[in-house]
Amino acid sequence: MKICIIGQGYIGLPTAALFADNGCEVVGVDINEDIIRTLNEGKIHIEEPGIQQIINKAAKSGSYHASLKPEEADVFIITVPTPFIADDLSCDLSYVVNGCRSIVPFLKKGNVVIIESTIAPMSTDNQIKPIFEEAGFKIGTDLYLAHCPERVLPGKIIEELIHNDRIIGGITPECSDKAAEVYATFVKGKLMKTEAKTAEMSKCMENTFRDVNIALANELAKICAEIGVNALDVIEMANKHPRVNIHTPGPGVGGHCLAIDPYFIYSEAPDTARIIKLARDTNNSMPKFVAEKTREIIKNHTSMYKPKIAVLGVAYKGNTGDARESPAFEIIQRLESNGYEIAIHDPHIKNNHYVGLEEALESASIALILADHNEFKELDYDLVLSKMKNPIIFDTKNIIKNCPEEIELFNYGNLYQI
Ligand code: SAJ
């Protein structure tokens, strides 16, 4: 089976790697020349465990190559980004539509086309199907079209691609059958067949469920800071109830999924999707809250003339170099506009403006933890004590345990004590 995958990003590349590793011939297509060059040199451009080894093996055996242009194949998979349109918060399908148009000249009868990108409910029926029908294909007999959303967690992509259950949303039952056969190549989880619109809504709702629950945790943290309760203790106690699972409050919600997908539902039914929108607004308010609390800590607990803030971590997710939609950027920008000197350190992100841990901590008034990297869970406290005069840590990810007494620690458990 030959597979052509449009988009070689966080999802397209690992998917390509797994098909190539399981007996398929794979061409990975991307519009970015640098990415194609990097991949054809046998290197990968994302930080994700396990992929480099598989790509090395596949490139050697000839089962994988990267290209700027699609090629004829049996199966076409679209894994391109779907941002939202700022004006009305709707799903921007332009990359998906362009990807679909780009494969039309290479399509033959009997091919399978799968959209993996997260898309708003009804997109496959209303916007994607017509592209192939206009090209003369009858869906369900000449061409098999399905929406099979990816649902993997960065950092564990390979494991989750193989073991997670998969939603297979065909335009017709025949489309679902054909798409399921494709994934049966390597997926060990269940292949659950359904309609395209159900698959679209399920995927958007999975991330909305999480976003709404995080918003509840963030709201709890704000209420506790206001009325003087330890939010972290509350969460620990409440979660001992067998049917309660309060999520973890943090600096806001980042990433390309939770911060975006709920809008796809909201924009389809704005008058009805009220909790969904309120949750987005609550999570979007967290960077302002963190910046305000940081200012309060500095004001009440330091006497420096020109305070310096060491920002530890900008990635939206711990132990990855992924900073897409990270709330850290708004926090940094707000604090910078207040005139603070900011030194940024993120051991997982290469950036000429970022500095090493020692340099970031040097004479800093406060260390502000914005990412739950393992490096910060086990901070070198001797270094902190030697570099900072009256060390204060504001841990917005609630990861610091066993902090020495000489360091003043703020987290969502004691914000009311600022
Ligand atoms: N976060 C909190 N509190 C929590 C959990 C997360 O503040 O209790 C924050 C994180 O710090 C991060 C953001 O939420 O900024 C999102 O992180 P995440 O790890 O929950 O999710 P993503 O966006 O990396 O991946 C999600 C996953 N969806 C679900 O868990 C329902 C993944 O399975 C999806 O494949 C992915 O979205 C996607 O591509 O849609």
Side-chain angles (χ1 to χ4, degrees):
M1 182 158 60
K2 180 167 174 184
I3 306 198
C4 178
I5 303 188
I6 311 294
Q8 288 295 277
Y10 284 92
I11 301 300
L13 181 60
T15 305
L18 281 175
F19 277 115
D21 202 35
N22 284 277
C24 301
E25 183 190 345
V26 180
V27 50
V29 179
D30 206 288
I31 51 171
N32 183 321
E33 288 182 26
D34 290 339
I35 291 180
I36 296 302
R37 195 175 320 113
T38 306
L39 291 173
N40 280 333
E41 280 166 5
K43 291 179 250 161
I44 63 167
H45 61 100
I46 57 174
E47 188 187 350
E48 180 62 38
I51 296 175
Q52 181 69 68
Q53 295 87 315
I54 309 181
I55 287 291
N56 282 348
K57 200 172 129 202
K60 254 190 214 138
S61 72
S63 58
Y64 174 81
H65 73 277
S67 170
L68 284 164
K69 285 220 170 80
E71 293 173 13
E72 283 196 359
D74 304 299
V75 179
F76 293 83
I77 300 179
I78 312 282
T79 50
V80 293
T82 37
F84 63 87
I85 297 170
D87 287 354
D88 61 357
L89 303 172
S90 67
C91 173
D92 178 356
L93 269 185
S94 55
Y95 296 106
V96 174
V97 166
N98 290 343
C100 289
R101 292 212 174 106
S102 77
I103 62 173
V104 166
F106 304 92
L107 288 176
K108 297 184 304 286
K109 272 195 169 187
N111 280 171
V112 181
V113 176
I114 295 168
I115 314 297
E116 283 205 14
S117 309
T118 305
I119 49 182
M122 304 308 296
S123 304
T124 314
D125 281 273
N126 296 345
Q127 275 121 304
I128 297 166
K129 186 170 76 138
I131 298 173
F132 301 110
E133 285 175 336
E134 279 158 26
F137 291 98
K138 192 163 183 323
I139 307 300
T141 50
D142 311 333
L143 191 73
Y144 302 98
L145 175 62
H147 174 53
C148 307
E150 57 78 16
R151 30 174 23 194
V152 293
L153 208 58
K156 288 173 77 182
I157 292 184
I158 291 291
E159 185 195 324
E160 294 214 347
L161 274 177
I162 297 172
H163 296 284
N164 287 3
D165 296 341
R166 189 108 206 188
I167 307 176
I168 313 283
I171 290 289
T172 67
E174 295 75 20
C175 295
S176 298
D177 291 343
K178 293 283 181 184
E181 278 170 28
V182 173
Y183 289 104
T185 317
F186 68 81
V187 173
K188 297 206 165 79
K190 275 195 212 98
L191 300 171
M192 305 177 293
K193 296 179 198 170
T194 182
E195 291 174 297
K197 61 184 176 188
T198 311
E200 291 160 342
M201 190 61 155
S202 307
K203 165 67 195 203
C204 289
M205 207 55 206
E206 288 166 15
N207 284 340
T208 300
F209 170 88
R210 207 158 154 77
D211 196 50
V212 169
N213 278 286
I214 297 167
L216 193 60
N218 282 334
E219 189 166 291
L220 167 73
K222 283 179 164 181
I223 295 168
C224 288
E226 207 174 294
I227 67 174
V229 181
N230 182 324
L232 300 180
D233 284 351
V234 170
I235 294 169
E236 193 186 334
M237 300 298 140
N239 283 353
K240 293 280 189 280
H241 184 292
R243 285 175 297 285
V244 173
N245 176 22
I246 302 178
H247 286 39
T248 316
V253 168
H256 187 65
C257 308
L258 271 61
I260 294 178
D261 301 352
Y263 290 131
F264 296 175
I265 301 179
Y266 167 74
S267 63
E268 295 297 312
D271 294 334
T272 316
R274 292 166 55 194
I275 294 176
I276 294 174
K277 178 63 164 53
L278 192 57
R280 280 282 66 242
D281 293 345
T282 302
N283 288 336
N284 282 341
S285 75
M286 293 313 286
K288 182 165 177 255
F289 177 77
V290 169
E292 275 167 10
K293 291 296 164 199
T294 307
R295 274 197 300 272
E296 277 177 44
I297 294 171
I298 291 173
K299 196 167 137 250
N300 298 348
H301 297 265
T302 68
S303 52
M304 293 275 224
Y305 164 65
K306 200 170 173 267
K308 171 182 166 184
I309 302 171
V311 167
L312 303 189
V314 291
Y316 90 88
K317 186 188 277 287
N319 305 321
T320 77
D322 192 345
R324 289 177 299 173
E325 313 292 329
S326 175
F329 297 119
E330 186 187 331
I331 296 169
I332 292 166
Q333 180 241 317
R334 281 178 177 274
L335 293 169
E336 258 169 2
S337 68
N338 292 135
Y340 296 116
E341 183 191 341
I342 312 255
I344 303 171
H345 168 67
D346 192 313
H348 293 265
I349 297 180
K350 282 194 204 103
N351 182 314
N352 291 339
H353 300 295
Y354 298 176
V355 297
L357 180 62
E358 275 190 44
E359 198 182 331
L361 294 175
E362 184 71 58
S363 315
S365 311
I366 180 167
L368 177 60
I369 297 184
L370 299 180
D372 45 351
H373 295 319
N374 285 345
E375 291 86 343
F376 305 148
K377 289 179 191 161
E378 283 141 29
L379 259 184
D380 178 350
Y381 294 119
D382 288 339
L383 183 73
V384 174
L385 287 163
S386 73
K387 294 288 168 192
M388 295 171 74
K389 209 164 152 223
N390 295 306
I392 303 176
I393 296 178
F394 179 14
D395 171 16
T396 70
K397 300 294 293 186
N398 319 302
I399 52 172
I400 298 270
K401 313 271 180 261
N402 312 319
C403 185
E405 267 176 26
E406 305 92 295
I407 300 175
E408 203 166 356
L409 176 67
F410 289 97
N411 57 26
Y412 285 152
N414 64 354
L415 284 184
Y416 58 93
Q417 286 170 348
I418 298 176

